[in-house]
């Protein structure tokens, strides 16, 4: 039997190994089936083993997996075209992960600042944010748990409370080194924190007034997750920079940093790079994902299914004492309890349901965009039972 003996102790994985998947269903090595309401943490938006993605990457693999960014890559050009068409942005840098996409954004913001003769370019980041695990991105992250032990942190970030425009206005008055604001349209890791409906509009305005870049980390919210291709489209604004990863390759590692021409123009050959970033295989996956999302109209399906799931959960949990709030945007949903519920992670697994617990008290759901109504009903039923059982047992 395989074990964790030679794996670095960065995760404490559950004693379950999945062998195969189809759509929203995973099967473990004992043949037990699970309903996946987590999608590998917002990665497998099209569900598991989607035939269009499988075919695209297997075909590409028989032809060419990797060349180098020293040469043109047709899939990369095509994927960049498609992402720009969908987002209204102008240029793309491809990476292999979310953290690397954010690294590109941070480097771009610093170049942008130096070009304006700001010697200590500084980026406004938020409390309780998550931007990744590399040194720069963990420094940008608003969580001591992520940072502790890795000091000295990277300089050049100032922090503001999330969903608080006034605090950033105050920073604007007192700090002439600011070059950008980096923010998640919905905070995922800290438990589906949804800001006021006009928060991004106000941030856009503030960035315009101060000539700052608005940099949206859409690594979790992007690619249809919130019921729009990108969450900023709810606000009818456009960021200067946007980062993507997670669902872009449906599980094939790929990240992207998109920018407007104005922001992207600071990047010149030699400024930044990646050996693997945007290789033919990863971009074949990205192209297949977008094509499938378009042909199966998954963005509008995610919007509708998100409303259905939210309303069903709100209805079932409405009068349950101990449930503080049920909230969501598209298929990003959170159920906040008034007490810790970390044990629900393994309890749900036993019941054949995959979900995550954030900040000890919040159940996070990120089901695939292809979720059926029956599967949504099954999620609601299982969660309602789990939550009620937990709260009754705590009350007893
Ligand atoms: C997952 C995530 C990241 C980090 O992505 P990795 O691929 O793990 O490096 C960054 N920002 C947000 C909002 C995320 O959800």
């Amino acid at each position: 039997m395989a074990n964790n003996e030679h794996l670095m102790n960065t995760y404490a994985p559950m004693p379950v190994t999945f062998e195969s998947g189809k759509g929203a269903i995973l099967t473990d090595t004992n043949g037990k089936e699970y309903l996946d309401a987590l999608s590998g943490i917002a990665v497998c938006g099209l569900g598991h083993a989607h035939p269009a993605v499988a075919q695209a990457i297997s075909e590409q693999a028989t032809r060419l997996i990797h060349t180098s960014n020293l040469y043109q890559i047709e899939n990369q050009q095509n994927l960049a075209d498609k992402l720009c068409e969908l987002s209204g942005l102008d240029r793309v840098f491809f990476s292999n992960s979310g953290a690397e996409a954010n690294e590109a954004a941070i480097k771009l913001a610093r170049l942008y600042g130096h070009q304006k003769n700001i010697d200590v370019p500084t980026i406004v980041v938020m409390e309780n944010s998550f931007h990744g695990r590399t040194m720069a991105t963990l420094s940008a992250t608003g969580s001591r748990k992520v940072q502790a032990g890795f000091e000295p942190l990277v300089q050049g970030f100032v922090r503001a409370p999330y969903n608080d425009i006034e605090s950033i206005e105050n920073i604007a008055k007192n700090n002439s080194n600011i070059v950008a604001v980096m923010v998640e349209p919905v905070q995922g890791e800290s438990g589906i924190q949804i800001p006021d409906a006009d928060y991004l509009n106000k941030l856009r305005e503030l960035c315009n007034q101060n000539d700052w870049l608005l940099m949206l980390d859409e690594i979790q919210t992007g690619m249809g997750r919130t019921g729009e291709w990108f969450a900023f489209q709810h606000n009818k604004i456009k960021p200067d920079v946007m980062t993507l990863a997670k669902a872009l390759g449906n599980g094939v590692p790929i990240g992207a940093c998109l920018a407007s021409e104005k922001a992207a123009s600071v990047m010149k050959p030699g400024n930044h790079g990646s050996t693997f970033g945007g290789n033919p295989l990863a971009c074949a996956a990205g192209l297949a994902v977008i094509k499938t999302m378009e042909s199966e109209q998954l963005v509008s399906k995610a919007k509708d299914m998100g409303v259905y799931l939210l309303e069903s959960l709100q209805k079932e949990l409405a009068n349950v004492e101990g449930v503080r709030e049920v909230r969501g945007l598209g298929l990003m949903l959170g159920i906040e309890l008034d007490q810790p519920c970390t044990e629900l992670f393994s309890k749900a697994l036993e019941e054949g349901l995959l979900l995550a617990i954030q900040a000890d008290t919040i159940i996070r759901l990120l089901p695939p965009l292809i979720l059926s109504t029956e599967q949504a009903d099954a999620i609601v039923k299982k969660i309602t039972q789990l939550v009620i059982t937990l709260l009754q047992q705590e009350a007893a």
Side-chain angles (χ1 to χ4, degrees):
M1 270 278 274
N3 61 44
N4 297 317
E5 202 175 321
H6 290 115
L7 295 177
M8 236 184 247
N9 202 16
T10 52
Y11 285 89
M14 299 301 294
V16 58
T17 304
F18 300 115
E19 202 166 55
S20 62
K22 193 171 194 313
I25 304 296
L26 280 168
T27 305
D28 75 10
T29 42
N30 297 317
K32 179 178 167 183
E33 288 194 347
Y34 300 78
L35 181 50
D36 187 359
L38 194 58
S39 311
I41 316 187
V43 168
C44 301
L46 307 191
H48 299 283
H50 195 289
V53 179
Q55 194 190 350
I57 60 182
S58 50
E59 257 177 27
Q60 186 60 51
T62 60
R63 209 149 12 101
L64 195 61
I65 292 181
H66 179 86
T67 51
S68 162
N69 284 309
L70 296 174
Y71 312 100
Q72 293 186 9
I73 298 171
E74 196 178 3
N75 282 354
Q76 189 183 120
Q77 294 167 335
N78 288 338
L79 183 55
D81 287 351
K82 203 68 220 181
L83 287 171
C84 289
E85 176 196 321
L86 292 169
S87 66
L89 292 169
D90 302 311
R91 289 184 187 265
V92 188
F93 172 83
F94 287 104
S95 64
N96 312 289
S97 67
E100 285 174 86
N102 283 338
E103 286 278 344
I106 292 163
K107 287 179 72 174
L108 191 155
R110 287 186 169 196
L111 280 179
Y112 177 79
H114 284 296
Q115 203 183 54
K116 296 202 297 175
N117 294 317
I118 294 174
D119 291 335
V120 192
T122 301
I123 301 171
V124 179
V125 290
M126 305 305 155
E127 288 173 7
N128 300 313
S129 61
F130 183 78
H131 298 298
R133 300 285 195 158
T134 62
M135 279 312 305
T137 58
L138 77 82
S139 302
T141 291
S143 158
R144 274 309 292 159
K145 231 159 109 181
V146 170
Q147 296 173 341
F150 300 111
E151 298 81 1
L153 300 181
V154 173
Q155 306 273 297
F157 298 102
V158 294
R159 205 165 296 285
Y162 192 57
N163 197 23
D164 182 344
I165 291 289
E166 209 175 303
S167 74
I168 304 179
E169 286 168 348
N170 283 331
I171 293 172
K173 276 179 217 144
N174 300 312
N175 191 331
S176 55
N177 289 328
I178 305 297
V179 295
V181 175
M182 185 165 163
V183 61
E184 298 154 88
V186 173
Q187 289 186 333
E189 297 303 301
S190 61
I192 317 297
Q193 308 297 342
I194 305 169
D196 295 343
D198 63 352
Y199 181 53
L200 293 186
N201 303 77
K202 288 187 170 160
L203 280 180
R204 178 69 274 175
E205 219 169 284
L206 199 55
C207 286
N208 288 348
Q209 284 163 7
N210 293 284
D211 196 24
W212 300 342
L213 300 177
L214 178 60
M215 308 205 298
L216 298 182
D217 179 342
E218 293 236 22
I219 290 165
Q220 194 161 148
T221 54
M223 301 307 292
R225 174 58 51 191
T226 70
E228 294 284 352
W229 276 96
F230 311 107
F232 73 77
Q233 291 167 334
H234 290 286
N235 297 76
K236 312 229 176 330
I237 55 140
K238 216 157 74 175
D240 302 289
V241 176
M242 167 174 71
T243 51
L244 297 174
K246 292 202 162 86
L248 182 53
N250 209 53
V252 177
I254 181 169
C257 176
L258 284 74
S260 64
E261 189 64 47
K262 172 186 142 180
S265 65
V266 299
M267 284 283 189
K268 297 282 183 288
N271 278 144
H272 196 45
S274 167
T275 297
F276 295 130
N279 82 12
L281 185 77
C283 291
L287 284 165
V289 165
I290 292 176
K291 204 170 154 201
T292 306
M293 287 177 65
E294 285 180 328
S295 66
E296 297 184 12
Q297 295 174 312
L298 291 182
V299 179
S300 63
K301 277 193 185 153
K303 186 177 253 172
D304 295 344
M305 192 54 68
V307 170
Y308 179 75
L309 200 48
L310 181 66
E311 287 179 352
S312 306
L313 284 165
Q314 282 174 336
K315 187 164 147 250
E316 291 302 319
L317 296 169
N319 298 311
V320 178
E321 204 182 325
V323 176
R324 199 169 269 166
E325 191 183 25
V326 182
R327 54 182 179 258
L329 188 65
L331 286 172
M332 253 183 123
L333 297 106
I335 302 158
E336 182 163 356
L337 307 185
D338 67 358
Q339 55 188 271
C341 61
T342 48
E343 67 194 78
L344 284 188
F345 179 61
S346 54
K347 287 256 160 69
L349 190 70
E350 275 170 42
E351 298 297 321
L353 178 67
L354 305 192
L355 46 70
I357 306 298
Q358 310 302 135
D360 291 342
T361 60
I362 302 159
I363 302 167
R364 176 170 63 154
L365 303 178
L366 300 161
L369 314 188
I370 48 92
L371 196 75
S372 69
T373 310
E374 294 72 37
Q375 288 166 338
D377 290 341
I379 291 173
V380 173
K381 193 167 165 211
K382 280 186 200 242
I383 286 185
T384 305
Q385 280 167 356
L386 284 162
V387 167
I388 289 175
T389 306
L390 175 94
L391 294 171
Q392 277 170 351
Q393 153 201 326
E394 295 300 316

